[in-house]
Every structure is written in structure tokens, then in C-alpha cells.
Amino acid sequence: MSELDWLERWRQGRIGFHRETPHSALIRHWQTLARRADAPVLVPLCGKSPDLRWLAERGHPVTGVELSPLAVEQFVAERDAPVTRWQSGEFTCLEQGGVELWCGDFFHVDLQPPVRFEAFYDRAALIALPAPTRQRYALHLAQLLEPGSAGLLVTLTHDDPERGPPFNVDAAEVQRLFAPNFEITRLEQDDAADGLEESVWHLVRRGPRDTD
Ligand SMILES: C[S@@+](CC[C@H](N)C(=O)[O-])C[C@H]1O[C@@H](n2cnc3c(N)ncnc32)[C@H](O)[C@@H]1O
């Protein structure tokens, strides 16, 4: 699925992935993995998820990165609160209530000068991407995180390698993608709807010394 396809999906309102309430795994596990309440959190491919506000309400400065201008505009329109807007390179940025939304391509979030985060949350981001792009995603994410950063990753498995999004991402692939840069612990593995199995992972970004 290309970037144009995602933009078209938002235009047509085909956003079956969107949930109106924060994800239960985020609520269950976040407190145990966040390093500091004020650690800046990166939410890649964030859509207009209520998870963004949930994290901000816990004190985190939150940065979501989303391709679709419709998604970010719908996010801020849901609250009657002031919105600040600015441009940063190719990103159109908005801030409301402690949530910054950077509208643009996640893979273009600059590494130079480094923008570093101390935590991340991925629900339906990795699994939204086709296999070749997932490798790129895992590396790019690692480069945006300080050593010691913790994150929550939610993946889905199903039995059709051709089907997606959501794409099938099994435990072996999570290891292959993230083990070079992260300590990985599976926190949960549960049946979800429509023959899908959901796993929740705790990832900790290794420091340079850990990878020697
Ligand atoms: C399956 S949705 C998940 C959204 C959100 N994480 C949630 O839980 O509701 C994937 C989102 O990623 C966005 N997206 C796809 N490719 C992107 C990219 N390269 N950079 C930023 N956002 C992207 C899509 O527009 C879509 O909103």
C-alpha cells in the first residue's frame, strides 16, 4: 500500500483501524515501561489516535507523525482547545494540549540534526507497512531513540502473507527487525477479532556499549 493509497483512504473515510478509546494494552502496560513521566514520546504513523492524548495526559510531551493532513486536522478538531501551527522543513506541524503532530512522511523525520526521543508507542504502525518497508522502519525508529528508551509495540499475526494492512508480523520477524538494536520482551499474546492474534512487546533501545 503506497502513501497515495493512505491519503486516499483518509479522503474516503476508510479508517477501520481507528479506535475511539485508548488501546487497552497501552493503559495496562505503559506505567511499567515509561522511564520518566516527562520523557518525550514518539508515536510513528499515529493517525488521529486517542492514544496520543492519553500519553499527553500522563505528562509526556508527545510527537505523532502522520502522513495525512485530514487525520491531523480531524484530531485537533475533536477538541475545543487552542492549536499552534508552524512549518518545519517539509513537515506541517500542529500542537494542541501537549500533543505535537508532524504531518509528513515518517521516513523523512531528520536524523541530522538529531531529533531524539526517550520513549515510543507503535500500535498499527509497523503492521501497516509492507515487508520491505518494515526493515527500514525498524532502523529509522532505532535512530530516533536515545539509548535506554522504552517502547510498546503492538503486532498482529494471521495466516495470509499476502493480506494486509494489517500485515502479518510474527515473533520471528519482530526478533529479526528489532533484536539488533533493542532488548525485546513479549508482554502479551491474545486472540483478537477476525482470526487475528495480537502480541504486545516491550522494547528497550540498547546503548552503544550493549551492542559491542
Ligand atoms: C493503520 S493506520 C494506524 C494509525 C494509528 N497508529 C492508530 O492506531 O489509529 C496507519 C497510519 O499510518 C499513516 N502512514 C502511512 N505511511 C506513513 C508514512 N510513511 N509516514 C507517516 N504516516 C504514514 C497512514 O496515513 C495511517 O493513518
Side-chain angles (χ1 to χ4, degrees), residues 2 40-41 68 77 93 108 111 122 125 131-132 136 159 162 177 184 201:
S2 73
V41 182
S68 166
C93 304
H108 294 182
L111 305 173
D122 171 333
R136 211 174 137 216
D159 53 12
E162 304 303 318
L177 291 175
I184 305 167
W201 307 85

Side-chain angles (χ1 to χ4, degrees), residues 12-87:
Q12 295 177 354
R14 290 190 297 116
I15 54 166
F17 54 81
H18 178 70
R19 292 163 166 250
E20 294 297 337
T21 53
H23 196 282
S24 60
L26 176 64
I27 297 170
R28 266 196 305 283
H29 294 295
W30 186 258
Q31 294 308 335
T32 59
L33 37 124
R35 294 295 144 116
R36 298 191 329 267
D38 61 350
V41 182
L42 173 64
V43 185
L45 285 65
C46 63
K48 57 168 182 171
S49 169
D51 299 334
L52 296 157
R53 285 198 213 284
W54 189 90
L55 286 162
E57 283 160 6
R58 259 119 219 109
H60 294 287
V62 177
T63 302
V65 185
E66 168 56 48
L67 204 55
S68 166
L70 281 178
V72 303
E73 290 300 339
Q74 288 176 19
F75 179 85
V76 296
E78 282 168 9
R79 281 280 164 95
D80 184 17
V83 180
T84 309
R85 295 166 188 270
W86 70 100
Q87 194 70 27

Side-chain angles (χ1 to χ4, degrees), residues 3 6 10 17 45-47 49 66-67 104-107 123-124 128:
E3 289 165 9
W6 283 111
W10 278 98
F17 54 81
L45 285 65
C46 63
S49 169
E66 168 56 48
L67 204 55
D105 186 343
F106 172 67
F107 295 102
R123 183 256 162 187

